[in-house]
Protein backbone atom coordinates (compact mmCIF):
# COMPACT_ATOMS: atom_id res chain seq x y z
CA UNK A 1 0.00 0.00 0.00
CA UNK A 2 1.25 3.48 -0.86
CA UNK A 3 2.57 5.17 2.29
CA UNK A 4 0.22 8.12 1.77
CA UNK A 5 -2.88 5.97 1.21
CA UNK A 6 -3.83 5.92 4.93
CA UNK A 7 -3.65 9.74 5.08
CA UNK A 8 -5.69 10.06 1.89
CA UNK A 9 -8.24 7.57 3.20
CA UNK A 10 -8.57 9.33 6.54
CA UNK A 11 -8.90 12.75 4.89
CA UNK A 12 -11.55 11.50 2.48
CA UNK A 13 -13.46 9.73 5.24
CA UNK A 14 -13.40 12.79 7.49
CA UNK A 15 -14.43 15.06 4.62
CA UNK A 16 -17.45 12.92 3.73
CA UNK A 17 -18.49 12.71 7.37
CA UNK A 18 -18.11 16.47 7.79
CA UNK A 19 -20.13 17.07 4.64
CA UNK A 20 -23.02 15.07 6.03
CA UNK A 21 -22.70 16.59 9.49
CA UNK A 22 -22.70 20.12 8.06
CA UNK A 23 -25.98 19.48 6.27
CA UNK A 24 -27.44 18.07 9.47
CA UNK A 25 -26.28 21.15 11.39
CA UNK A 26 -28.59 23.17 9.14
CA UNK A 27 -31.42 20.69 8.59
CA UNK A 28 -31.93 19.64 12.22
CA UNK A 29 -32.36 23.16 13.71
CA UNK A 30 -34.66 24.06 10.81
CA UNK A 31 -36.73 20.93 11.45
CA UNK A 32 -37.19 21.81 15.12
CA UNK A 33 -37.78 25.50 14.45
CA UNK A 34 -40.51 25.01 11.85
CA UNK A 35 -42.08 22.11 13.76
CA UNK A 36 -42.28 23.82 17.15
CA UNK A 37 -41.93 27.53 16.33
CA UNK A 38 -39.66 27.80 19.39
CA UNK A 39 -36.10 29.11 19.38
CA UNK A 40 -35.68 27.78 22.94
CA UNK A 41 -36.55 24.21 21.89
CA UNK A 42 -34.19 24.53 18.93
CA UNK A 43 -31.39 25.42 21.34
CA UNK A 44 -32.39 22.57 23.65
CA UNK A 45 -32.00 19.98 20.88
CA UNK A 46 -28.60 21.43 19.99
CA UNK A 47 -27.49 21.14 23.62
CA UNK A 48 -28.77 17.55 23.82
CA UNK A 49 -26.26 16.54 21.16
CA UNK A 50 -23.32 18.54 22.43
CA UNK A 51 -23.30 17.56 26.11
CA UNK A 52 -22.64 13.85 25.38
CA UNK A 53 -20.14 14.89 22.69
CA UNK A 54 -18.16 16.89 25.21
CA UNK A 55 -18.26 14.07 27.77
CA UNK A 56 -17.04 11.55 25.20
CA UNK A 57 -14.15 13.83 24.25
CA UNK A 58 -13.23 14.48 27.89
CA UNK A 59 -13.30 10.89 29.09
CA UNK A 60 -12.64 8.89 25.94
CA UNK A 61 -8.92 9.46 25.38
CA UNK A 62 -7.59 6.68 27.63
CA UNK A 63 -10.24 4.27 26.27
CA UNK A 64 -9.18 5.04 22.70
CA UNK A 65 -5.52 4.55 23.65
CA UNK A 66 -6.37 1.12 25.02
CA UNK A 67 -8.76 -0.19 22.34
CA UNK A 68 -7.26 1.58 19.33
CA UNK A 69 -8.33 4.62 17.32
CA UNK A 70 -9.13 2.72 14.15
CA UNK A 71 -11.45 0.24 15.86
CA UNK A 72 -13.25 2.96 17.84
CA UNK A 73 -13.66 5.08 14.70
CA UNK A 74 -15.20 2.30 12.61
CA UNK A 75 -17.58 1.13 15.34
CA UNK A 76 -18.68 4.68 16.20
CA UNK A 77 -19.40 5.50 12.55
CA UNK A 78 -21.38 2.31 11.97
CA UNK A 79 -23.53 2.96 15.03
CA UNK A 80 -23.95 6.59 13.93
CA UNK A 81 -25.31 5.32 10.60
CA UNK A 82 -28.08 3.53 12.49
CA UNK A 83 -28.85 6.30 15.01
CA UNK A 84 -28.87 9.24 12.58
CA UNK A 85 -30.78 7.22 9.99
CA UNK A 86 -33.48 6.49 12.56
CA UNK A 87 -34.42 10.18 12.86
CA UNK A 88 -35.98 10.66 9.41
CA UNK A 89 -37.52 7.18 9.49
CA UNK A 90 -39.27 7.87 12.79
CA UNK A 91 -40.28 11.32 11.58
CA UNK A 92 -42.02 9.78 8.56
CA UNK A 93 -43.88 7.32 10.76
CA UNK A 94 -45.04 10.03 13.16
CA UNK A 95 -43.04 8.61 16.07
CA UNK A 96 -40.51 11.43 16.40
CA UNK A 97 -41.58 13.58 19.31
CA UNK A 98 -39.23 16.05 20.94
CA UNK A 99 -38.15 13.65 23.75
CA UNK A 100 -37.34 10.88 21.26
CA UNK A 101 -35.43 13.30 19.05
CA UNK A 102 -33.37 14.51 22.00
CA UNK A 103 -32.44 10.95 22.96
CA UNK A 104 -31.35 10.13 19.40
CA UNK A 105 -29.26 13.27 18.97
CA UNK A 106 -27.69 12.67 22.40
CA UNK A 107 -26.59 9.18 21.36
CA UNK A 108 -25.37 10.56 18.03
CA UNK A 109 -23.34 13.20 19.88
CA UNK A 110 -21.77 10.58 22.15
CA UNK A 111 -20.76 8.43 19.19
CA UNK A 112 -19.40 11.40 17.25
CA UNK A 113 -17.30 12.44 20.25
CA UNK A 114 -15.57 9.06 20.34
CA UNK A 115 -15.22 8.97 16.56
CA UNK A 116 -13.78 12.47 16.23
CA UNK A 117 -11.29 11.94 19.05
CA UNK A 118 -10.19 8.65 17.52
CA UNK A 119 -9.62 10.24 14.12
CA UNK A 120 -7.99 13.51 15.17
CA UNK A 121 -6.31 12.39 18.36
CA UNK A 122 -5.19 8.82 17.79
CA UNK A 123 -4.98 8.23 14.03
CA UNK A 124 -4.24 11.53 12.33
CA UNK A 125 -0.78 12.21 13.83
CA UNK A 126 0.27 8.63 13.10
CA UNK A 127 -0.83 8.55 9.47
CA UNK A 128 0.81 11.93 8.88
CA UNK A 129 4.10 10.64 10.31
CA UNK A 130 3.84 7.54 8.12
CA UNK A 131 3.06 9.59 5.01
CA UNK A 132 6.12 11.84 5.29
CA UNK A 133 4.01 14.98 4.80
CA UNK A 134 5.18 17.99 6.84
CA UNK A 135 2.84 18.40 9.80
CA UNK A 136 1.92 22.08 9.36
CA UNK A 137 1.03 21.48 5.72
CA UNK A 138 -0.95 18.40 6.71
CA UNK A 139 -2.86 20.51 9.24
CA UNK A 140 -3.58 23.08 6.54
CA UNK A 141 -4.78 20.31 4.23
CA UNK A 142 -7.12 19.00 6.93
CA UNK A 143 -8.52 22.46 7.56
CA UNK A 144 -8.94 23.05 3.83
CA UNK A 145 -10.89 19.84 3.28
CA UNK A 146 -12.98 20.59 6.37
CA UNK A 147 -13.78 24.07 5.11
CA UNK A 148 -14.61 22.70 1.65
CA UNK A 149 -16.96 20.15 3.19
CA UNK A 150 -18.57 22.88 5.25
CA UNK A 151 -18.94 25.08 2.17
CA UNK A 152 -20.55 22.38 0.05
CA UNK A 153 -22.76 21.16 2.88
CA UNK A 154 -23.82 24.69 3.74
CA UNK A 155 -24.71 25.46 0.13
CA UNK A 156 -26.57 22.21 -0.47
CA UNK A 157 -28.52 21.95 2.78
CA UNK A 158 -31.05 24.73 2.15
CA UNK A 159 -31.94 23.74 -1.43
CA UNK A 160 -32.08 20.06 -0.41
CA UNK A 161 -34.56 20.88 2.35
CA UNK A 162 -36.72 22.67 -0.23
CA UNK A 163 -36.29 19.87 -2.79
CA UNK A 164 -37.06 17.03 -0.36
CA UNK A 165 -39.85 19.06 1.17
CA UNK A 166 -38.83 17.94 4.66
CA UNK A 167 -35.68 18.82 6.56
CA UNK A 168 -35.61 15.39 8.23
CA UNK A 169 -34.89 13.65 4.92
CA UNK A 170 -31.57 15.49 4.62
CA UNK A 171 -30.35 13.51 7.63
CA UNK A 172 -30.45 10.34 5.52
CA UNK A 173 -27.48 11.73 3.59
CA UNK A 174 -25.61 12.25 6.86
CA UNK A 175 -26.33 8.64 7.84
CA UNK A 176 -24.92 7.41 4.52
CA UNK A 177 -21.79 9.54 5.01
CA UNK A 178 -21.09 7.76 8.31
CA UNK A 179 -21.30 4.40 6.55
CA UNK A 180 -18.86 5.51 3.85
CA UNK A 181 -16.52 6.89 6.50
CA UNK A 182 -16.45 3.54 8.34
CA UNK A 183 -15.77 1.72 5.06
CA UNK A 184 -12.88 3.98 4.06
CA UNK A 185 -11.20 3.84 7.46
CA UNK A 186 -11.64 0.07 7.65
CA UNK A 187 -10.14 -0.50 4.20
CA UNK A 188 -7.41 2.14 3.90
CA UNK A 189 -6.24 3.32 7.30
CA UNK A 190 -3.63 1.25 9.09
CA UNK A 191 -1.98 2.57 12.24
CA UNK A 192 0.44 0.94 14.68
CA UNK A 193 -0.85 -0.31 18.01
CA UNK A 194 0.07 1.14 21.41
CA UNK A 195 0.47 -1.98 23.46
CA UNK A 196 2.84 -0.43 26.00
CA UNK A 197 0.49 2.40 26.82
CA UNK A 198 -2.62 0.23 26.84
CA UNK A 199 -1.65 -1.11 30.27
CA UNK A 200 -1.63 2.36 31.84
CA UNK A 201 -4.50 2.71 34.34
CA UNK A 202 -7.38 4.85 33.15
CA UNK A 203 -7.15 7.34 36.02
CA UNK A 204 -3.41 7.78 35.61
CA UNK A 205 -3.79 8.41 31.88
CA UNK A 206 -6.54 10.95 32.42
CA UNK A 207 -4.58 12.80 35.12
CA UNK A 208 -1.56 12.96 32.83
CA UNK A 209 -3.56 14.84 30.22
CA UNK A 210 -5.02 17.21 32.83
CA UNK A 211 -1.58 17.93 34.29
CA UNK A 212 -0.26 18.91 30.89
CA UNK A 213 -3.16 21.23 30.16
CA UNK A 214 -2.74 23.00 33.50
CA UNK A 215 0.99 23.46 32.98
CA UNK A 216 1.10 25.10 29.54
CA UNK A 217 -0.24 28.67 29.61
CA UNK A 218 -0.45 29.06 25.85
CA UNK A 219 -2.25 25.78 25.27
CA UNK A 220 -4.62 26.49 28.15
CA UNK A 221 -5.23 30.03 26.90
CA UNK A 222 -6.05 28.78 23.42
CA UNK A 223 -8.47 26.20 24.75
CA UNK A 224 -10.24 28.68 27.04
CA UNK A 225 -10.55 31.17 24.19
CA UNK A 226 -12.09 28.45 22.04
CA UNK A 227 -14.49 27.65 24.86
CA UNK A 228 -16.02 31.12 24.47
CA UNK A 229 -15.85 31.45 20.68
CA UNK A 230 -17.19 27.95 20.03
CA UNK A 231 -20.02 28.63 22.47
CA UNK A 232 -21.01 31.76 20.55
CA UNK A 233 -20.49 30.13 17.15
CA UNK A 234 -22.83 27.31 18.12
CA UNK A 235 -25.53 29.72 19.18
CA UNK A 236 -25.02 31.65 15.96
CA UNK A 237 -25.24 28.69 13.59
CA UNK A 238 -27.71 26.48 15.44
CA UNK A 239 -30.24 29.11 16.54
CA UNK A 240 -29.64 32.69 15.49
CA UNK A 241 -29.00 32.19 11.77
CA UNK A 242 -32.05 29.90 11.32
CA UNK A 243 -34.10 32.44 13.29
CA UNK A 244 -32.82 35.25 11.07
CA UNK A 245 -33.49 33.20 7.91
CA UNK A 246 -37.04 32.45 9.01
CA UNK A 247 -37.89 36.06 9.88
CA UNK A 248 -36.10 37.81 7.01
CA UNK A 249 -35.92 35.30 4.13
CA UNK A 250 -38.82 33.06 4.97
CA UNK A 251 -36.83 30.08 3.63
CA UNK A 252 -33.80 28.00 4.76
CA UNK A 253 -31.93 29.18 1.66
CA UNK A 254 -30.96 32.21 3.74
CA UNK A 255 -28.91 29.92 5.98
CA UNK A 256 -26.87 28.85 2.98
CA UNK A 257 -26.29 32.49 2.05
CA UNK A 258 -24.49 33.07 5.37
CA UNK A 259 -22.68 29.75 5.62
CA UNK A 260 -21.87 29.40 1.94
CA UNK A 261 -20.11 32.75 1.54
CA UNK A 262 -18.11 32.17 4.72
CA UNK A 263 -17.14 28.68 3.59
CA UNK A 264 -16.05 29.87 0.14
CA UNK A 265 -13.84 32.55 1.65
CA UNK A 266 -12.32 30.03 4.05
CA UNK A 267 -11.49 27.60 1.25
CA UNK A 268 -9.83 30.33 -0.83
CA UNK A 269 -7.91 31.62 2.18
CA UNK A 270 -6.82 28.12 3.09
CA UNK A 271 -5.35 27.53 -0.38
CA UNK A 272 -3.31 30.72 -0.09
CA UNK A 273 -2.18 29.92 3.46
CA UNK A 274 -1.05 26.44 2.38
CA UNK A 275 1.64 28.06 0.23
CA UNK A 276 2.57 30.91 2.57
CA UNK A 277 2.37 29.19 5.97
CA UNK A 278 6.12 28.74 6.65
CA UNK A 279 6.88 32.43 6.01
CA UNK A 280 4.04 34.23 7.81
CA UNK A 281 3.90 35.33 11.49
CA UNK A 282 1.52 33.11 13.39
CA UNK A 283 0.49 35.40 16.23
CA UNK A 284 -0.54 38.27 13.96
CA UNK A 285 -2.50 36.07 11.57
CA UNK A 286 -4.24 34.23 14.38
CA UNK A 287 -5.12 37.30 16.43
CA UNK A 288 -6.18 39.64 13.63
CA UNK A 289 -7.90 36.86 11.69
CA UNK A 290 -10.05 35.90 14.66
CA UNK A 291 -10.88 39.54 15.36
CA UNK A 292 -12.08 40.14 11.79
CA UNK A 293 -13.97 36.87 11.42
CA UNK A 294 -15.70 36.94 14.80
CA UNK A 295 -17.98 39.75 15.93
CA UNK A 296 -18.78 41.69 12.70
CA UNK A 297 -21.11 39.02 11.27
CA UNK A 298 -23.32 39.19 14.37
CA UNK A 299 -23.71 42.95 13.99
CA UNK A 300 -24.35 42.80 10.24
CA UNK A 301 -27.29 40.47 10.74
CA UNK A 302 -28.54 42.34 13.80
CA UNK A 303 -28.78 45.69 12.01
CA UNK A 304 -30.36 44.44 8.81
CA UNK A 305 -27.43 44.70 6.41
CA UNK A 306 -28.41 43.99 2.79
CA UNK A 307 -27.89 40.51 1.41
CA UNK A 308 -24.98 41.48 -0.86
CA UNK A 309 -23.02 42.93 2.06
CA UNK A 310 -23.59 39.77 4.10
CA UNK A 311 -22.11 37.75 1.25
CA UNK A 312 -19.10 40.08 0.95
CA UNK A 313 -18.54 40.01 4.71
CA UNK A 314 -18.81 36.21 4.69
CA UNK A 315 -16.07 36.01 2.05
CA UNK A 316 -13.82 38.38 4.03
CA UNK A 317 -14.47 36.52 7.27
CA UNK A 318 -13.72 33.20 5.63
CA UNK A 319 -10.38 34.41 4.29
CA UNK A 320 -9.51 35.90 7.68
CA UNK A 321 -10.30 32.72 9.60
CA UNK A 322 -8.50 30.40 7.16
CA UNK A 323 -5.15 30.61 8.96
CA UNK A 324 -6.55 30.20 12.48
CA UNK A 325 -7.08 26.44 12.63
CA UNK A 326 -3.79 25.46 10.90
CA UNK A 327 -1.87 27.79 13.23
CA UNK A 328 -3.70 26.41 16.24
CA UNK A 329 -2.96 22.86 15.10
CA UNK A 330 0.70 23.56 14.39
CA UNK A 331 1.22 25.12 17.82
CA UNK A 332 -0.39 22.11 19.45
CA UNK A 333 1.67 19.66 17.38
CA UNK A 334 4.89 21.32 18.44
CA UNK A 335 4.16 21.65 22.15
CA UNK A 336 2.36 18.49 23.29
CA UNK A 337 4.30 15.19 23.59
CA UNK A 338 3.20 12.42 21.24
CA UNK A 339 2.36 9.96 24.00
CA UNK A 340 -0.25 12.39 25.43
CA UNK A 341 -1.95 13.00 22.10
CA UNK A 342 -5.29 11.18 22.50
CA UNK A 343 -5.96 12.26 26.07
CA UNK A 344 -4.86 15.88 25.54
CA UNK A 345 -6.88 16.00 22.31
CA UNK A 346 -9.91 14.61 24.09
CA UNK A 347 -9.65 16.84 27.15
CA UNK A 348 -8.78 19.93 25.15
CA UNK A 349 -11.64 19.36 22.72
CA UNK A 350 -13.99 18.77 25.64
CA UNK A 351 -13.07 22.10 27.23
CA UNK A 352 -13.11 23.93 23.90
CA UNK A 353 -16.53 22.48 23.04
CA UNK A 354 -17.99 22.50 26.54
CA UNK A 355 -19.49 25.94 25.98
CA UNK A 356 -21.35 24.86 22.85
CA UNK A 357 -24.39 23.38 24.65
CA UNK A 358 -24.55 26.58 26.70
CA UNK A 359 -24.31 28.60 23.50
CA UNK A 360 -27.27 26.80 21.96
CA UNK A 361 -29.34 27.20 25.12
CA UNK A 362 -28.39 30.85 25.67
CA UNK A 363 -29.07 31.77 22.04
CA UNK A 364 -32.41 30.00 22.21
CA UNK A 365 -33.33 31.89 25.37
CA UNK A 366 -32.16 35.24 23.99
CA UNK A 367 -33.91 34.49 20.71
CA UNK A 368 -37.23 34.47 22.53
CA UNK A 369 -36.68 38.21 23.10
CA UNK A 370 -35.88 38.85 19.45
CA UNK A 371 -33.13 38.00 17.00
CA UNK A 372 -31.65 41.50 17.05
CA UNK A 373 -31.04 41.58 20.80
CA UNK A 374 -29.57 38.08 20.79
CA UNK A 375 -27.20 38.91 17.91
CA UNK A 376 -25.97 42.12 19.56
CA UNK A 377 -25.32 40.48 22.95
CA UNK A 378 -23.47 37.56 21.39
CA UNK A 379 -21.51 39.88 19.10
CA UNK A 380 -20.22 41.94 22.01
CA UNK A 381 -19.19 38.79 23.87
CA UNK A 382 -17.35 37.51 20.78
CA UNK A 383 -15.49 40.79 20.41
CA UNK A 384 -14.23 40.60 24.00
CA UNK A 385 -13.09 36.99 23.55
CA UNK A 386 -11.10 37.75 20.38
CA UNK A 387 -9.23 40.55 22.14
CA UNK A 388 -7.61 37.98 24.49
CA UNK A 389 -4.50 37.29 22.32
CA UNK A 390 -3.58 40.97 22.63
CA UNK A 391 -3.29 40.62 26.44
CA UNK A 392 -0.35 38.67 27.86
CA UNK A 393 3.12 38.02 26.45
CA UNK A 394 2.70 34.24 26.44
CA UNK A 395 0.46 34.49 23.36
CA UNK A 396 3.54 35.55 21.36
CA UNK A 397 4.97 32.07 21.87
CA UNK A 398 2.91 31.08 18.84
CA UNK A 399 5.72 32.49 16.70
CA UNK A 400 8.30 30.08 18.14
CA UNK A 401 8.89 27.24 15.70
CA UNK A 402 10.68 24.36 17.41
CA UNK A 403 11.11 20.99 15.77
CA UNK A 404 7.57 19.58 15.55
CA UNK A 405 6.35 16.99 18.02
CA UNK A 406 3.21 15.21 16.84
CA UNK A 407 -0.02 15.90 18.68
CA UNK A 408 -3.65 16.34 17.62
CA UNK A 409 -5.60 19.28 16.43
CA UNK A 410 -8.21 21.38 18.15
CA UNK A 411 -10.71 23.07 15.94
CA UNK A 412 -12.45 26.38 16.24
CA UNK A 413 -15.96 26.42 14.98
Amino acid sequence: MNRRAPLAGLLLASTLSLLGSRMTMIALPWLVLVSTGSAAKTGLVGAAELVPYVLACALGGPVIDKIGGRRISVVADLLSLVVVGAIPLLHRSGGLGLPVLMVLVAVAGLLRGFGDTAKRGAMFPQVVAKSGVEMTRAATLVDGTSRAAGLIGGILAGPLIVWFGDAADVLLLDAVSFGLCALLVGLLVRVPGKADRAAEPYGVALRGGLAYLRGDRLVLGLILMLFVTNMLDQGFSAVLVPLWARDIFGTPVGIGLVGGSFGLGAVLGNIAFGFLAPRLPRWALFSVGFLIAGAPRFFFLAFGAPAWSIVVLGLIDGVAIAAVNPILSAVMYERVPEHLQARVQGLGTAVAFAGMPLGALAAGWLGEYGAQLALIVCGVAYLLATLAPFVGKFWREMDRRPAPVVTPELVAA
Side-chain angles (χ1 to χ4, degrees), residues 216-378:
D216 192 314
R217 292 182 67 193
L218 178 57
V219 170
L220 185 60
L222 289 169
I223 291 170
L224 292 178
M225 180 179 173
L226 291 180
F227 171 86
V228 178
T229 59
N230 285 342
M231 175 179 67
L232 297 168
D233 282 327
Q234 180 64 22
F236 183 78
S237 61
V239 179
L240 298 181
V241 173
L243 190 62
W244 168 82
R246 185 193 67 179
D247 294 344
I248 303 301
F249 277 76
T251 168
V253 174
I255 304 174
L257 182 71
V258 175
S261 59
F262 180 88
L264 177 59
V267 170
L268 295 175
N270 189 273
I271 293 171
F273 183 71
F275 291 102
L276 301 174
R279 297 186 293 275
L280 296 175
R282 292 176 177 174
W283 175 84
L285 282 174
F286 180 90
S287 304
V288 176
F290 233 143
L291 194 63
I292 293 173
R297 57 205 161 111
F298 289 84
F299 299 131
F300 265 56
L301 295 186
F303 294 108
W308 68 265
S309 67
I310 291 173
V311 172
V312 171
L313 179 68
L315 290 169
I316 294 172
D317 286 350
V319 172
I321 203 70
V324 168
N325 281 338
I327 290 171
L328 174 63
S329 299
V331 170
M332 298 294 292
Y333 295 147
E334 294 168 355
R335 296 178 74 91
V336 183
E338 187 272 342
H339 70 279
L340 295 176
Q341 57 187 347
R343 63 203 71 168
V344 171
Q345 163 70 13
L347 289 166
T349 300
V351 175
F353 282 18
M356 295 175 73
L358 298 176
L361 290 171
W365 175 72
L366 285 169
E368 294 292 328
Y369 295 91
Q372 184 180 55
L373 174 63
L375 286 163
I376 292 173
V377 171
C378 292

Side-chain angles (χ1 to χ4, degrees), residues 63-102:
V63 176
I64 293 168
D65 276 341
K66 185 172 184 178
I67 297 176
R70 177 172 173 270
R71 185 177 300 174
I72 291 289
S73 176
V74 171
V75 171
D77 287 336
L78 289 175
L79 291 175
S80 295
L81 163 64
V82 175
V83 173
V84 175
I87 295 175
L89 296 180
L90 287 173
H91 180 67
R92 285 182 178 182
S93 68
L96 188 68
L98 186 62
V100 174
L101 177 61
M102 291 181 65

Side-chain angles (χ1 to χ4, degrees), residues 24-46 91 98 101 161 166-168 235-248 250-252 255 360 363-365 367-368 371:
T24 292
M25 285 175 62
I26 294 173
L28 186 59
W30 186 260
L31 172 66
V32 179
L33 191 60
V34 298
S35 299
T36 67
S38 170
K41 289 180 180 178
T42 303
L44 189 63
V45 171
H91 180 67
L98 186 62
L101 177 61
I161 293 171
D166 194 329
F236 183 78
S237 61
V239 179
L240 298 181
V241 173
L243 190 62
W244 168 82
R246 185 193 67 179
D247 294 344
I248 303 301
T251 168
I255 304 174
W365 175 72
E368 294 292 328

